[in-house]
Structures are given as structure tokens and as C-alpha cells.
Amino acid sequence: MATIELTNLGHVYGNGHVGLDGIELDVRDGEFLALLGPSGSGKTTLLRTIAGFLRPSAGNLAIGGRSVAGDGVWLPPEKRELGMVFQDHAIWPHLNVAGNVGYPLKLEGVPRIQIARRVAAVLDQVGLSEYAKRKPAALSGGQRQRVALARAIVAKPQALLLDEALSALDEPLRARLRLELRALTREEGLTAVHVTHDRAEALGLADRVAVLNRGKIQQVGTPRELLENPVNAFVASFVSDATLFPGTVVDGHFHADHPGLRFRIGSDTHGNPAIRVIGERALAGARPRRAVAAVAPTGVRLEPAARKAPLDIQLARVTSALYGRHGYETSLDWAGTGLRVLVDGWVPKEGELVRPVVEMAHVFCGESGGGEGRAA
Ligand code: ADP
Ligand code: MG
């Protein structure tokens, strides 16, 4: 059983910087888990702690049901039976492809014939059979990354750890390698932890996604759970690209500080938005509470502006519209707030005035909307 269990795991760097704080995470056997977060959120720190390159300063880590760190236990990286792939394929330039891939088995003292057999099988799996004798310098970036992947799985590890393993590759190669990676881990029944700052990659690939920010896990869930039920404004903004509107909840209404956004909380048939409220007793009492409304690009409909009235706070101006796979990713200036909206069915023009109608939002009570930060 190649589960990975992290219990109250913490890491403090030598300079006192808290890299990880109270991490609780259970990666299931055979699961593909993406670790998603902005740059500096602690993704590499967490992966290196699992690998054994960093010692946790608190908590426990178990791999395959066996404790490997914490409570006086310490198993060095080479004994953890893990495969690793990094962003910059650290493959040896002086060895050919077969030599690179077979290296971990050679270290283990596996007989030559068996090494040759296993290397041939793995090269076949990653589509590099014809390149066995090539030197890395004569390979493309994608092929080198396949070599790194083959080398990581050659010794049949308990789990595969990937740190931005595809981030250095260009599309469409990157998209293809994504699919190959997923197929490979399925075939081998491998547990995988895949670190990325790319939310589309995380949501597209993973069984579950763990969202990390400032060394803390914000939420763990399936891609759908994260999109439909984000637990806080950070997750909504990072995972769904939601625009955050700080404001106040009072008497069942949300009043954004922004002059154009006010709505009654709850869904109804009178054109009010369907709003989910997060935070206990949000609607109880008339006492105003600070809150944040997160509005995803899919939660807004744009109506044509009836007349040109640039001072009308109900209106927003299109600042850019980029054509994407799901429609136009449109940015608006709405009375000074940058609102992102996904537009389908018509072509928004730069400079055009439109009326944003918020149809869906998540309201997080007790959050300020500042501080959490929105990642680039
Ligand atoms: P990510 O991989 O998500 O970009 P890292 O895990 O590399 O983030 O880093 C998390 C935080 O820990 C960052 O603020 C980073 O500056 C800090 N950090 C990383 N390595 C060290 C180190 N060796 N000493 C002190 N701080 C570090
Ligand atoms: Mg990193």
C-alpha cells in the first residue's frame, strides 16, 4: 500500500522561516494528487520533506503505512523507495538514455541482464525505445523529460513525486506529456504527488488537488469540489480566478464596498444571484459583518449597455478580451475594480460599455479580502 500520510507536519527553515505549518494530508494508494499553490507557498518544501531531503520540525510522515519521519524515526531518502522528477531534468550528460534510465538499478546492484530488460520495458512505456543509445544533448526538452520520468519509475517506486516536472516544456508538447504521465501512473498503479502552480494542469490531471498557501493547506478536494465549494476567498480566487469584492453582510444582503454590487443572499427567481454563503450564522441577526464575495468568471453575465453613460456605476468597460478554449476571457474595468468574465457567444470589443449581472457568487463571512493575496 503506497499511501502517504502527513500528520500535523511542520518545517521551519534555519533562518526561522516557517515553510510548512500543520500539514494534514492523506494521499491514497494509486491516487494522483496535485499540490497547487502560488510561488513561495511551500510546494517544493512539502515535496522535499516527503522525499526525505528535509527533516520536518514537527509532526509525522508515513509512506506505505510505515513511519519514515517524526517521533524519533528517520528514514533517509534512498530508503524511501520514491521516484522523483524535477523541472530541470537532472539527467547525466555523459550517459546515454539507457545508461541514465538504468542507473538507479545499477546502484542497487541489479544484474545486468535484468537491468537491460527493465530499461527496455520502461523506454517502451515512455516512447523512447529508438533513442536508447542517444546522448541527452541530442534529445529535445520533451524527450529529456521522458528520460527523467523513465528513470524515476524504473525501480518500481512506492510513489512518484513530481516538482513542476512539465513546467519548462512548451505547449502542445506539455499537454501531451500530461496525458502520457497520467496514463503511465494509471497503468503502473502508482501513487503520484504532482507539484504545479498551473491551476488548469492541476484541475485537468488530478484525482484530488491540495491547495497550499503560505505553508498551510487551504483545501483538499476533487477539482469539482474546489470549483463548486471553495472554502475561502483565497481558494476561490486562485482556483477559479474569481474576482474578490470585500463588503458587508447585513439582514441577508451583501453590500460590496464597490458601488455597483449589492444583492440579496440566496437564490430566487426574481433575477437575484444564486449565492452560496460560507461561514456560520452568516445570515442571522441584523448586525453587519464583514465578508468577501468571490465572483468567478463564469458567474457573471454581460448585458449590452442601453446607452452611453460612462458615469453610471452599473456599467463596466471592456479592457481586454482574449479568445480561449471556453470563450472570451474578458477583463472589465468596473468602477475601478478589475472584473474577469468568461464571455461565450459574442465578441466583446475593447472599450465597449456593458452591464455586468452577477448570477453566482460565494460569500465568505468573516474574511476581509485583503491579506489572503491573489496569485499571479
Ligand atoms: P514553492 O515551491 O511553492 O514555490 P518553496 O517551498 O520553494 O515554495 O518555498 C516556500 C517558502 O520557503 C518561500 O517563502 C521560500 O522563500 C522559503 N524557503 C525556501 N527554501 C528556503 C531555505 N533554504 N531557507 C529559508 N527559506 C526558504
Ligand atoms: Mg517550487
Side-chain angles (χ1 to χ4, degrees):
M1 287 288 283
T3 54
I4 303 174
E5 292 157 86
L6 292 76
T7 313
N8 193 26
L9 202 79
H11 179 79
V12 181
Y13 281 107
N15 62 0
H17 182 89
V18 179
L20 297 174
D21 185 10
I23 302 284
E24 298 277 341
L25 183 63
D26 280 354
V27 189
R28 298 164 189 158
D29 186 29
E31 180 173 41
F32 196 107
L33 183 110
L35 206 52
L36 175 69
S39 177
S41 57
K43 304 181 296 297
T44 295
T45 305
L46 183 50
L47 208 69
R48 290 175 64 81
T49 306
I50 295 173
F53 301 125
L54 291 175
R55 268 177 197 257
S57 37
N60 283 286
L61 167 64
I63 298 172
R66 173 187 185 195
S67 180
V68 301
D71 284 339
V73 176
W74 177 252
L75 203 67
E78 64 276 11
K79 298 238 168 88
R80 294 192 186 184
E81 296 173 39
L82 300 168
M84 290 201 73
V85 185
F86 303 97
Q87 176 167 358
D88 39 2
H89 32 70
I91 56 177
W92 290 286
H94 61 285
L95 295 178
N96 67 19
V97 167
N100 264 289
V101 173
Y103 194 78
L105 299 179
K106 201 172 157 189
L107 278 187
E108 282 180 19
V110 175
R112 252 171 202 242
I113 298 204
Q114 277 180 39
I115 294 181
R117 208 179 295 142
R118 176 71 183 146
V119 167
V122 175
L123 286 182
D124 184 45
Q125 271 181 306
V126 299
L128 285 180
S129 296
E130 287 154 41
Y131 298 87
K133 300 223 154 62
R134 285 248 188 126
K135 287 284 177 60
L139 297 174
S140 69
Q143 288 167 335
R144 280 200 286 265
Q145 210 55 338
R146 284 197 180 90
V147 173
L149 187 57
R151 189 181 55 190
I153 62 168
V154 75
K156 296 196 181 271
Q158 298 206 71
L160 185 59
L161 308 180
L162 305 129
D163 194 353
E164 306 274 6
L166 308 177
S167 300
L169 303 173
D170 296 327
E171 299 288 4
L173 174 68
R174 188 164 160 194
R176 207 170 102 203
L177 231 74
R178 246 177 234 156
L179 295 178
E180 288 180 14
L181 174 64
R182 194 68 184 89
L184 187 71
T185 55
R186 275 219 182 92
E187 256 167 46
E188 299 273 303
L190 263 175
T191 305
V193 181
H194 177 65
V195 161
T196 180
H197 65 272
D198 178 336
R199 65 168 175 245
E201 182 164 303
L203 296 174
L205 262 184
D207 297 316
R208 285 190 308 156
V209 179
V211 182
L212 204 62
N213 190 36
R214 298 185 175 174
K216 287 189 180 160
I217 296 215
Q218 307 293 312
Q219 187 170 4
V220 187
T222 62
R224 189 172 177 160
E225 281 164 358
L226 295 182
L227 291 169
E228 291 181 358
N229 294 311
V231 297
N232 60 33
F234 174 82
V235 174
S237 117
F238 193 71
V239 174
S240 303
D241 203 21
T243 304
L244 302 183
F245 290 89
T248 307
V249 167
V250 60
D251 259 348
H253 287 71
F254 178 80
H255 300 255
D257 300 338
H258 183 281
L261 185 64
R262 315 211 136 181
F263 50 77
R264 192 163 73 75
I265 293 176
S267 67
D268 66 18
T269 53
H270 302 296
N272 284 321
I275 304 293
R276 267 191 72 83
V277 183
I278 289 140
E280 93 290 9
R281 297 192 302 127
L283 299 177
R287 195 168 59 85
R289 292 186 64 192
R290 289 301 285 168
V292 174
V295 178
T298 48
V300 186
R301 183 163 48 84
L302 296 184
E303 288 181 348
R307 63 203 152 76
K308 289 205 168 165
L311 294 178
D312 184 342
I313 51 155
Q314 302 299 323
L315 299 183
R317 191 180 292 281
V318 175
T319 51
S320 73
L322 300 175
Y323 185 65
R325 256 189 295 177
H326 306 290
Y328 281 89
E329 290 160 16
T330 308
S331 295
L332 304 166
D333 177 355
W334 190 16
T337 295
L339 178 67
R340 294 174 294 281
V341 180
L342 191 70
V343 175
D344 196 8
W346 56 284
V347 185
K349 285 189 277 305
E350 250 175 61
E352 192 175 354
L353 283 174
V354 291
R355 182 188 305 275
V357 179
V358 174
E359 296 185 308
M360 167 76 199
H362 290 90
V363 178
F364 301 100
C365 289
E367 287 200 46
S368 66
E372 293 93 359
R374 192 188 160 265

